[in-house]
Each structure stands twice: as C-alpha cells, then as structure tokens.
Amino acid sequence: MSLYSPATFAAFPTQIIENEDVQLEQFEMGYFIDKSQTMSFESIKQQEFKLTPNALSLGTEAKTTWSKIALHNTTKSALKIYLHHPYAYHNRAVELYEVVDDQLLNHRVLNMDDKDTQQWMYRGSAVFEITLSPDKQTTLFVKGVAFSHQWFALNLYSEENSKRALLGQYTNIALAVGMILALIIYNFLLFFSSRLREHFYYACYLVAGGFWIALSYGLLADLFNVYGSITLKWHLSLVAMPIFLLLFMINIFETQKKYPIEHWALLSILTLLIVDFIYGLFDIVTALQYSSTLAAIMMAVSLCVTFSMLIRKQPIAPFFLLGHGLFVFFSALAVFFYKGKAEFSYINSHGVGIGILLEALVLSLIVAYRIRILENLKATQADLQVLASTDPLTQLFNRRHFSHAANQLLKQARIAQQPSSVAIIDIDLFKKINDTYGHASGDESIKHAANMIKGLSRHQDLVARYGGEEFIILMPNTVANDAYKLTERIRIALESATLANNKNHLNFTISAGVAEIDSQTFNLKEAMDSADKALYKAKNNGRNQSQLAGE
C-alpha cells in the first residue's frame, strides 16, 4: 500500500513517499500554460503554477502546457518510480525535467515524430523511470505539446504497480472496437447480398467510428506503435463518420422523395462536412478546430430532422431518436471536455466513443427492423406470386404459369439434349356429373382428380390444371412410351378410386392423349396439339383410355 499525503512546501502540495509501494493516481499538482510556446525552462521555473488534479483538460488554447509535481522520499534509501503519461500518443511531444535542490538533474525529450526518442513509449503510454534520492525532495516538470486539444493525466507507480497499470490498459477499447467490427462485417455482407445502400452507409459509418475510437483512445498506438503527426490526418475519420450517418438518414427516411425541407437541411450540413473533410487533407489542425463547431451544428440539424420524422409518425424515428440522442448527449460531454469546460473523467474524455458505440447498437435495431419489413414484403410478394400462378380450386399450377415454366424446362432440355413428353388429361362425362350430383360434386371430382394426378406424377413433372376438367403434365427427360405408361398408371388408379361425397359415392374415369416433343424444334405448342388430337381419339374410341400420338 502506498502511504502518501500532501504537505506544504512554499504553498505547493508535496506528495510524501513513505515506502516502496507507490501508486499515485489521484493527487494535486500544478499547471502553467505557455501561450507563447517559446519560454525556456529557467523562465518556467519562476512562474506561478495553478493547482489542479493530476488529470485535466485545457482545450485548444493550451497547446504547450507545463505540469509541476513535488515529491518527497522520506525513506533512507533511493526509490525507483515510474511516471506514466497514458495519453501521450495524441501529443506532439513530451519533455520531463527532474530537479533536486534547485539543480536540473535529468532532462528527457520524447518527440513523437522522432523514433530515436521513442524508447520511453510503451503501448501508447509515455513511461519515464525516475530515481528518488533518499530523504530528498524532487520536483518534476512535465512539458506537453499538443496538436490541437490539450488533455492529459499523470500517474506515479512503483515498478510492480507500473506493470499492472500497463496490462490491459486498452481492453475496454478493444472490446468496443471488436463489437463494432462484428457489425461492420455483418452489414457489408448484407450490402453484398441485398445491394441496399443503407447497409453500405451504415457499414462505412461504423468503419469511420470504429477507426476513430481505436485511434483516439490508444488502441492503434498500443497495437502498432504509431504516434505523432503521421496519425494526425487519420482524425478525419471523425469528420467522415457524420457524413455517412447523414447519408444513412437520407436513405432510411427517404427524404429526397417524401420530405424536401428535411432533405435540404441534411444536404446543407452534409456539404459543410464534406468541405471540412477535403480542407482537412491540406490543413488538418484547422479542420479539426472547426470540426467541433460543425459537429454541434450537425447534431442540432439531425435531431430536428428526427423530431420532424417523429411528428410525422415515421416508424423508425423513435429508434433513431434514441440512438442519436445518446450519441449527441455523450458527444456533447466530450466537446465540453475537449474545450476545457468539463472536468476530467472517463465518461467525459471517452464521450464520443461511448456515444458512437451506443448509437451503433441502437441503429443496428433499425437495420434489423428494416430487414424484417423487407422480408415481410418479399413474403407477401411471394404469396401474391403463388396466388397468381396457382389454381385456387386444385392448388395445382394454372395455365399461365404452366406456359412459362414449361418453356424454361424445355430450354434446359434443349441444352442437355434430353427428350420430353406431354400428356393432356380430361375427366370423362364431366357434364353428367354436374347435372346429376350438382356443381359442388363436380368441383370435388376435379379436386380428387388433381390430387391423384399430382400424387402419382414424379417430382420432376410439371402438373397444371389447364382449364375446366382438363389437366396437363410436362414430363422432362421422358420418351413417349414411358410417358404413356405413367399416364396409364394414373388412369387406372382413378378408375379404381371412389369419391365419397355426402351420401353419394362417385366413380369416374379419365381419357388422355400423350405426345413426345420434337427433339429438333422443342416446340411445345405442336406437341400439345398432337396430344390434344390423341385425347379426342381416346374420347371417340369409348373413353377411359390413353392414346399415344402418331399411333
């Protein structure tokens, strides 16, 4: 356990180190803003430092900031401690000055663009080893030079506690990025399968947001050891993210077709963001300074549009309002933090990342809802297609569908050079059944014949009700003799079957004509004409028989 308490030396708090187990994560220090960015260390020592917690945010006007930490080693032996600067990865440079008895003992410069000075960087954190002389006071001066926004934390550890602090430092960020990566993969797969632009825009929004989280919260620095100005332009992903979110809104709300005023508002802020993005390719620092203001305008406009959709009872507006509202709330906390108007806390410093993750999860519900609507629409269209292609009485295919499907099967038969045959079947003396037993019994007879024909046909055969009491069967990969045998099997089975209808027991027969389709022309109409002639021959010869065309 680390035993320390603030003491007062020249009205400045000093941290008392009483043993080797050091873990200073909450303490008071001083800070001074060098607005000229040119002051020497000797001048800095003479300045009055303001008291502050060891973690703070000072906004965009404090690019060069000095921190002052006073330590007093009260033990009788030298102690080795480690100064951690866990957010050093987003700084331009960090310098450490060690002063003992008003003498500069050690000076180290960490330049994020100079690999020769990066030996103090470990997994995104700057870690400086410091030796405290026995029973001596040591004053640490830390100079931080930021690219745009100045925010940092300074912690002090013993060697063992230093290792523990570094282990798993970015686990929560890795978890968040992993969740976003899963959503990215899923939505790109949805886009490739459906070609719906909303999945593409949402996936791109997730790519920009996930990349910015990994960049801004140290995961990329941790994994790939990249820091400094080389990564500065990568922060344009923060500008790209709302661009894709606005495109997503335009697409899911269909503003171009239905809501012209809202569409104009979204396009206006979209244009400003695109201009800022392009400008950032040439001057990233200035672009990032404007990005906070643009982000505020974008949040206001997008919320107004969402409320408009809510008033119009747009079904997905409540989901979008929830997700975007969470993003706006947490991002607002972050904007205040980056501008130095809010205290240093995890929620404030990571507000944008938290907002992105929560919005991404809620927007995934919108994607799921839209998928469900599309599936229901497809199911309805499929049902309508089935109704359009099915005979309502027998549930067999109707004449229209038979013509289309038969031509498709014959195209395949032509390519494979396989024979095909067709059979036309008609119920014998059907008018007599209607006149004797009534039209209801006639319908039952047609249904009974349809079920028998369908049940005795093969799975590859195309069976349809061709009209009235007439049925047709297209038999792929079947020569005329085999088609005749199949038709005879159906005829014999129907002759032997009895249809029980109320108190009546009906027995009826069928006649059929069979023809093989010409293997050179594959002309279905000619084959049907031949089969029809064979059917009339069967009728004229006494019914209850099958006739093969050409015999």
Side-chain angles (χ1 to χ4, degrees):
M1 179 178 179
S2 175
L3 301 176
Y4 58 91
S5 61
T8 304
F9 290 86
F12 193 85
T14 300
Q15 309 307 315
I16 305 300
I17 311 297
E18 296 181 338
N19 58 43
E20 295 181 354
D21 188 17
V22 180
Q23 188 174 358
L24 289 170
E25 294 177 331
Q26 292 182 352
F27 58 90
E28 281 193 316
M29 65 178 190
Y31 80 92
F32 172 78
I33 300 173
D34 177 10
K35 294 183 179 180
S36 70
Q37 304 185 50
T38 60
M39 293 178 67
S40 66
F41 175 62
E42 291 301 322
S43 298
I44 290 296
K45 287 197 301 180
Q46 308 305 316
Q47 303 304 315
E48 182 179 348
F49 281 69
K50 296 181 181 179
L51 289 183
T52 178
N54 60 305
L56 73 162
S57 175
L58 298 171
T60 58
E61 302 300 320
K63 289 188 173 60
T64 300
T65 301
W66 291 79
S67 303
K68 180 180 178 181
I69 304 172
L71 304 172
H72 187 194
N73 176 15
T74 62
T75 69
K76 301 300 181 182
S77 58
L79 293 180
K80 185 181 293 184
I81 65 170
Y82 294 84
L83 174 69
H84 283 214
H85 190 314
Y87 305 108
Y89 56 83
H90 70 75
N91 276 22
R92 185 188 298 273
V94 176
E95 296 184 34
L96 174 62
Y97 296 78
E98 297 175 45
V99 176
V100 178
D101 295 334
D102 205 32
Q103 297 295 317
L104 180 60
L105 190 67
N106 201 355
H107 174 214
R108 281 168 274 189
V109 178
L110 170 57
N111 186 337
M112 299 302 170
D113 293 329
D114 185 356
K115 290 186 177 181
D116 292 337
T117 70
Q118 291 180 5
Q119 67 266 33
W120 295 295
M121 286 296 291
Y122 181 77
R123 301 183 61 179
S125 296
V127 180
F128 297 100
E129 180 184 310
I130 300 166
T131 301
L132 299 179
S133 302
D135 198 22
K136 288 271 190 183
Q137 178 172 322
T138 301
T139 304
L140 305 178
F141 291 87
V142 181
K143 178 183 179 182
V145 183
F147 285 105
S148 57
H149 301 80
Q150 182 70 266
W151 58 283
F152 60 93
L154 299 173
N155 301 318
L156 291 161
Y157 300 102
S158 60
E159 183 173 1
E160 191 62 29
N161 289 327
S162 174
K163 292 177 181 177
R164 290 197 185 111
L166 290 170
L167 287 175
Q169 186 173 355
Y170 303 105
T171 303
N172 55 342
I173 304 302
L175 179 62
V177 172
M179 294 171 63
I180 292 175
L181 181 60
L183 288 173
I184 290 170
I185 295 172
Y186 177 64
N187 279 276
F188 271 126
L189 290 175
L190 286 176
F191 170 70
F192 290 131
S193 62
S194 67
R195 298 297 174 180
L196 294 175
R197 286 179 294 177
E198 63 196 61
H199 298 306
F200 176 76
Y201 294 144
Y202 181 52
C204 289
Y205 160 78
L206 292 171
V207 169
F211 182 83
W212 188 85
I213 289 175
L215 173 66
S216 293
Y217 301 133
L219 187 60
L220 291 182
D222 176 27
L223 297 176
F224 304 109
N225 292 320
V226 287
Y227 338 96
S229 58
I230 190 174
T231 65
L232 198 56
K233 277 192 169 61
W234 299 354
H235 283 277
L236 282 173
S237 55
L238 184 61
V239 183
M241 186 181 65
I243 290 175
F244 288 112
L245 181 63
L246 291 172
L247 289 170
F248 180 72
M249 287 182 68
I250 290 171
N251 195 72
I252 62 170
F253 289 135
E254 301 179 84
T255 57
Q256 186 173 7
K257 295 179 181 178
K258 301 179 179 179
Y259 313 107
I261 296 176
E262 289 83 353
H263 184 68
W264 177 87
L266 293 176
L267 278 183
S268 298
I269 187 62
L270 180 64
T271 303
L272 290 176
L273 288 167
I274 291 174
V275 170
D276 189 54
F277 182 89
I278 295 172
Y279 186 80
L281 296 174
F282 305 97
D283 185 357
I284 182 63
V285 175
T286 304
L288 289 177
Q289 288 177 346
Y290 285 119
S291 65
S292 297
T293 303
L294 284 175
I297 297 173
M298 178 266 178
M299 292 175 193
V301 171
S302 56
L303 280 177
C304 289
V305 170
T306 306
F307 277 117
S308 175
M309 296 296 105
L310 195 64
I311 293 171
R312 296 167 186 262
K313 300 188 183 301
Q314 224 284 346
I316 61 176
F319 296 102
F320 193 89
L321 181 61
L322 173 61
H324 198 50
L326 289 170
F327 171 75
V328 169
F329 174 75
F330 285 101
S331 295
L333 294 180
V335 168
F336 282 114
F337 170 78
Y338 290 136
K339 289 184 174 294
K341 305 297 183 182
E343 65 179 13
F344 197 111
S345 69
Y346 185 87
I347 291 179
N348 289 342
S349 64
H350 291 70
V352 176
I354 295 171
I356 291 171
L357 182 60
L358 292 176
E359 183 175 45
L361 293 175
V362 176
L363 292 188
S364 67
L365 297 178
I366 293 178
V367 172
Y369 176 80
R370 300 259 305 170
I371 291 173
R372 184 178 177 183
I373 289 177
L374 289 173
E375 286 178 346
N376 290 340
L377 181 61
K378 288 180 180 179
T380 302
Q381 290 175 339
D383 291 340
L384 291 174
Q385 188 174 5
V386 169
L387 288 174
S389 62
T390 304
D391 172 58
L393 177 64
T394 63
Q395 300 305 306
L396 295 178
F397 290 126
N398 58 24
R399 180 171 185 166
R400 179 168 174 259
H401 179 79
F402 175 84
S403 299
H404 175 74
N407 285 321
Q408 295 299 316
L409 288 174
L410 289 178
K411 285 181 181 179
Q412 297 175 13
R414 181 193 296 272
I415 294 172
Q417 284 299 301
Q418 292 176 340
S420 297
S421 297
V422 65
I424 297 178
I425 299 172
D426 188 79
I427 298 176
D428 293 330
L429 302 174
F430 181 72
K431 185 176 184 301
K432 183 178 179 180
I433 296 174
N434 273 338
D435 293 342
T436 305
Y437 300 102
H439 288 283
S441 295
D443 287 346
E444 290 297 320
S445 300
I446 292 173
K447 289 169 64 176
H448 177 63
N451 291 335
M452 293 287 288
I453 294 170
K454 181 66 176 176
L456 292 170
S457 297
R458 303 164 303 179
H459 73 276
Q460 70 264 34
D461 296 334
L462 180 63
V463 183
R465 182 186 179 191
Y466 208 63
E469 69 275 19
E470 192 172 63
F471 304 90
I472 188 167
I473 309 173
L474 177 66
M475 307 174 204
N477 197 20
T478 306
V479 295
N481 287 333
D482 291 338
Y484 176 81
K485 292 176 184 177
L486 173 62
T487 307
E488 273 293 280
R489 186 164 72 246
I490 294 172
R491 183 190 66 78
I492 294 169
L494 265 169
E495 182 185 16
S496 304
T498 299
L499 172 62
N501 181 34
N502 295 326
K503 295 181 180 180
N504 301 312
H505 290 79
L506 300 180
N507 291 91
F508 60 87
T509 60
I510 60 171
S511 298
V514 181
E516 185 172 338
I517 297 173
D518 192 308
S519 59
Q520 299 298 318
T521 64
F522 285 89
N523 191 307
L524 177 62
K525 186 177 183 306
E526 289 181 359
M528 289 175 60
D529 288 342
S530 298
D532 200 46
K533 290 177 182 178
L535 170 63
Y536 276 100
K537 182 177 179 181
K539 294 279 189 181
N540 292 332
N541 287 350
R543 302 183 179 85
N544 191 22
Q545 59 183 274
S546 302
Q547 287 290 333
L548 189 60
E551 291 187 356

